[in-house]
Amino acid sequence: MKVLIPTLSLAAVAPAASDACTTLSTSISADANVYRANSTEYTLAIEHWLLSSIEEPQCVVEPSNAADIGAILKTVSATRTPFAVKGGGHTSNNGFSSTTGFHISLAQFNYTKLDTEAQTVAVGAGTKWISVYTALNGTRFNMVRGRNPAVGVSGFTLGGGKHLKTNAHGLAIDNLLKVNIVLPNGTATTASATQNADLFFALKGGFNNFGIVTEFTFRAVPQDLVWGGHLSYDPADTAAVNAAIVAFEQTNTDPRAALVGGITALPTGPNGTFSAPTQAVQLFYDGPVLPEGMFADFFAIPTASNNWAGPITFLAWSGTDGGVSSLSRGVFHAFSTLPHTPEFLEDVVDEVSAFSAELGPNSAVYLSVAIEPFMAGSLNRTSSATSDSSAYPPVRNPVLLPSNIFFGYLDAAQDTTFHAPIAQIQANIVTKAAARGLIYPEAQGGSIYSNYALAGEDGAHVLDFYGAEHLREMRRVREEVDPRGVMRLAGVWKV
Ligand SMILES: Cc1cc2nc3c(=O)[nH]c(=O)nc-3n(C[C@H](O)[C@H](O)[C@H](O)COP(=O)(O)OP(=O)(O)OC[C@H]3O[C@@H](n4cnc5c(N)ncnc54)[C@H](O)[C@@H]3O)c2cc1C
Ligand SMILES: *[C@@H]1O[C@H](CO)[C@@H](O)[C@H](O)[C@H]1NC(C)=O
Ligand SMILES: *[C@@H]1O[C@H](CO)[C@@H](O)[C@H](O)[C@H]1NC(C)=O
Ligand SMILES: *[C@@H]1O[C@H](CO)[C@@H](O)[C@H](O)[C@H]1NC(C)=O
Ligand SMILES: *[C@@H]1O[C@H](CO)[C@@H](O)[C@H](O)[C@H]1NC(C)=O
Ligand SMILES: *[C@@H]1O[C@H](CO)[C@@H](O)[C@H](O)[C@H]1NC(C)=O
Ligand SMILES: *[C@@H]1O[C@H](CO)[C@@H](O)[C@H](O)[C@H]1NC(C)=O
């Protein structure tokens, strides 16, 4: 073997892992690929929704089938190389689907297969929701999915998965029938309610603790035309919109109706000054005929922008989700509460306002807290969803309402600056929620939603997601399927 070319920068190449990339390329099938730094494929494979979630791996490996993934995991195990597996790359936590070791790209696991007879949908683990909607458009079937069409099916589902169809159909995992998975020792298997049932339980909320999922099979849910849109309001009307959200939570009994609110402060000028927080809502009605008076309170308040439309296809609706720019850096955090009160939503407005004043000069471009009211009973809607059917959530009744806190900023030099403040605003909001009796005492940490939570010393702890009883069972399964701790070489909430 040839020795180093003297002019080669040693700093750019870590010899041990680089050799492992070469070893890796000899152990995978002809259709699999290994990509080196700066190639187009490499750059595409490590892309994330937030620039701050990107790391530069030694190489990208793109398996073509489950046997390739098995071979990769065996190499990882033998060389103890840190690695990452990326679904849609929407995590806000650095090191969860990024790595400086091997980056596993699931680009070849990118498909949606509807079985109209069985009414199931099989989705490859590298698929983003937008591809699923496009494939299902016009079929009269759909699935429980997220609000942003670019989110990956994998991470969304392995964390629980909730959105506007949750009122009628529960979590994504409540509609999951089967997964194909490659275990940490390289063996491909399936998990379902009848096969490897304990592994199936643990995977539903357990992310990459137990192996690499290659395919999800979901129950398909019926889909007709829908109504929906995104309505924003002036800061002067924030309290009125908050009151309308609470009134909707308290009075709506139609599981086809749903909404997400967002208390948001945006920059108003170049000097880091922010608007007073506004409340915006994304409204959704899952049917072609809008019931009389539905969402009337929201239409009665003058809007700053409004793209409400219907009846339209679900695919067209998904385009009404404004989302936010994918060109910023950012951090997420989370809390969950019992049903909101107007006073509590005003507490949240006050906190967003205070933190926008503090963080404006640090290149902040977006500070928001999402308000996601799900209906009582939505987490026991499907017969397969019981308190012990999935690792997440620890409590299904009452339904704890998740909130996502998002601080977006531009300056890479600020990557560490935003952790402490987002942990602080989360703590402040939880304290205020507790003072108003909105924290459910039986759920540890208020049952924080892992798909939104901040990792690291300031962040959440795995106990907050699963509760002690579910966590104990997850650990038992982990010891069984991963005695060598292979999956601990990949980041994420380690049980
Ligand atoms: C704009 C936006 C909107 C969102 N809206 C919603 C929403 O409406 N509802 C909701 O519930 N959540 C929502 N989320 C949160 C989202 O569900 C999580 O960020 C989710 O983890 C993203 O999945 P991903 O595959 O895109 O992420 P990735 O970053 O690719 O993966 C997340 C984690 O899952 C692991 N993982 C990925 N693929 C596999 C696999 N095949 N096998 C094993 N482990 C794997 C990764 O290693 C990583 O640790 C939103 C996020 C964003 C950024
Ligand atoms: C990749 O490109 C960047 C910027 O152009 C450069 O700094 C880096 O050294 C390159 N890495 C390799 C391994 O070629
Ligand atoms: C997955 O397939 C869709 C088309 O169905 C394509 O637009 C997308 O780029 C593909 N994603 C990857 C990661 O290859
Ligand atoms: C979606 O399906 C509808 C028919 O239900 C069709 O009219 C429309 O053109 C489709 N949209 C796309 C983008 O294919
Ligand atoms: C920004 O701040 C500088 C210095 O304080 C000031 O001179 C300038 O007028 C401000 N610009 C705006 C648009 O507020
Ligand atoms: C399901 O939820 C509803 C509403 O919270 C509750 O009344 C009912 O008892 C729950 N059923 C079970 C089996 O937990
Ligand atoms: C891999 O792990 C599984 C689960 O522990 C076990 O059933 C299987 O026998 C193992 N396979 C090999 C080849 O060791």
Side-chain angles (χ1 to χ4, degrees):
M1 194 180 157
K2 244 171 45 174
V3 201
L4 284 178
I5 305 158
T7 52
L8 192 70
S9 159
L10 282 173
V13 185
S18 205
D19 288 349
C21 284
T22 308
T23 309
L24 198 59
S25 61
T26 62
S27 66
I28 49 181
S29 70
D31 291 333
N33 295 298
V34 172
Y35 299 117
R36 303 285 177 165
N38 291 353
S39 64
T40 310
E41 296 88 347
Y42 173 101
T43 305
L44 192 67
I46 65 173
E47 202 174 69
H48 279 74
W49 186 70
L50 291 165
L51 297 176
S52 45
S53 303
I54 298 175
E55 286 182 285
E56 298 259 317
Q58 292 300 328
C59 58
V60 165
V61 54
E62 184 192 281
S64 183
N65 52 45
D68 289 335
I69 295 180
I72 296 164
L73 287 176
K74 282 178 187 162
T75 304
V76 160
S77 176
T79 58
R80 304 304 292 177
T81 308
F83 74 103
V85 55
K86 196 190 92 174
H90 269 54
T91 184
S92 53
N93 288 314
N94 187 264
F96 271 35
S97 51
S98 63
T99 180
T100 54
F102 297 155
H103 179 102
I104 302 176
S105 162
L106 297 174
Q108 292 192 34
F109 297 79
N110 183 10
Y111 55 83
T112 303
K113 293 180 196 158
L114 171 68
D115 181 334
T116 48
E117 202 155 304
Q119 304 200 355
T120 60
V121 188
V123 185
T127 310
K128 290 186 174 192
W129 282 117
I130 185 61
S131 297
V132 177
Y133 306 152
T134 306
L136 296 183
N137 181 55
T139 67
R140 303 186 73 83
F141 287 104
N142 204 346
M143 292 153 60
V144 174
R145 43 72 66 170
R147 68 175 155 278
N148 185 297
V151 170
V153 172
S154 275
F156 175 87
T157 303
L158 291 169
K162 51 186 91 179
H163 195 44
L164 300 177
K165 292 175 93 71
T166 291
N167 278 346
H169 302 286
L171 302 171
I173 48 174
D174 299 344
N175 299 279
L176 185 62
L177 300 173
K178 190 182 83 167
V179 299
N180 295 349
I181 183 172
V182 180
L183 297 174
N185 66 5
T187 303
T189 188
T190 64
S192 68
T194 53
Q195 196 182 354
N196 296 316
D198 51 355
L199 175 61
F200 193 52
F201 160 89
L203 278 169
K204 288 189 275 183
F207 292 100
N208 63 20
N209 274 285
F210 310 100
I212 296 180
V213 174
T214 55
E215 181 180 289
F216 300 86
T217 303
F218 296 92
R219 181 185 299 122
V221 299
Q223 187 66 64
D224 206 330
L225 297 177
V226 304
W227 291 76
H230 190 268
L231 283 64
S232 70
Y233 301 89
D234 288 337
D237 291 316
T238 298
V241 185
N242 284 341
I245 289 176
V246 171
F248 174 84
E249 278 185 35
Q250 290 174 348
T251 57
N252 176 55
T253 54
D254 185 343
R256 289 170 174 265
L259 67 78
V260 175
I263 295 170
T264 304
L266 293 167
T268 52
N271 274 12
T273 46
F274 269 71
S275 68
T278 63
Q279 177 66 276
V281 286
Q282 189 185 27
L283 306 177
F284 178 65
Y285 191 77
D286 202 358
V289 181
L290 191 70
E292 183 79 33
M294 180 58 73
F295 302 129
D297 289 355
F298 298 96
F299 299 128
I301 304 165
T303 53
S305 71
N306 177 350
N307 64 1
W308 175 256
I312 53 175
T313 62
F314 191 88
L315 181 63
W317 174 83
S318 68
T320 67
D321 175 13
V324 283
S325 163
S326 60
L327 294 174
S328 75
R329 314 183 79 82
V331 283
F332 276 13
H333 208 353
F335 61 89
S336 294
T337 67
L338 291 164
H340 306 111
T341 63
E343 294 77 16
F344 172 66
L345 294 186
E346 290 307 312
D347 289 342
V348 175
V349 171
D350 292 345
E351 290 294 333
V352 170
S353 179
F355 277 82
S356 64
E358 181 188 323
L359 294 171
N362 295 76
S363 83
V365 286
Y366 193 93
L367 292 94
S368 81
V369 174
I371 303 300
E372 307 182 12
F374 295 109
M375 287 171 71
S378 55
L379 299 190
N380 64 21
R381 198 71 81 198
T382 60
S383 58
S384 55
T386 64
S387 60
D388 290 326
S389 62
S390 56
Y392 174 84
V395 174
R396 281 178 176 267
N397 192 25
V399 173
L400 301 177
L401 308 180
S403 270
N404 171 242
I405 312 172
F406 175 41
F407 287 0
Y409 58 93
L410 298 177
D411 181 5
Q414 307 284 343
D415 276 345
T416 52
T417 308
F418 280 79
H419 279 230
I422 202 167
Q424 190 60 54
I425 193 174
Q426 193 262 7
N428 293 358
I429 292 172
V430 169
T431 300
K432 288 182 171 178
R436 296 196 185 278
L438 300 185
I439 296 295
Y440 184 65
E442 271 85 341
Q444 283 119 332
S447 186
I448 289 174
Y449 182 32
S450 57
N451 257 334
Y452 294 162
L454 177 75
E457 274 172 36
D458 293 327
H461 184 264
V462 288
L463 254 184
D464 296 341
F465 315 140
Y466 309 116
E469 214 176 290
H470 287 182
L471 188 60
R472 209 174 304 124
E473 173 64 1
M474 293 171 90
R475 287 183 171 148
R476 192 191 63 72
V477 173
R478 176 178 61 73
E479 277 158 26
E480 196 179 300
V481 303
D482 194 14
R484 289 177 50 82
V486 175
M487 298 311 295
R488 292 183 112 66
L489 294 162
V492 84
W493 313 104
K494 291 299 154 195
V495 303

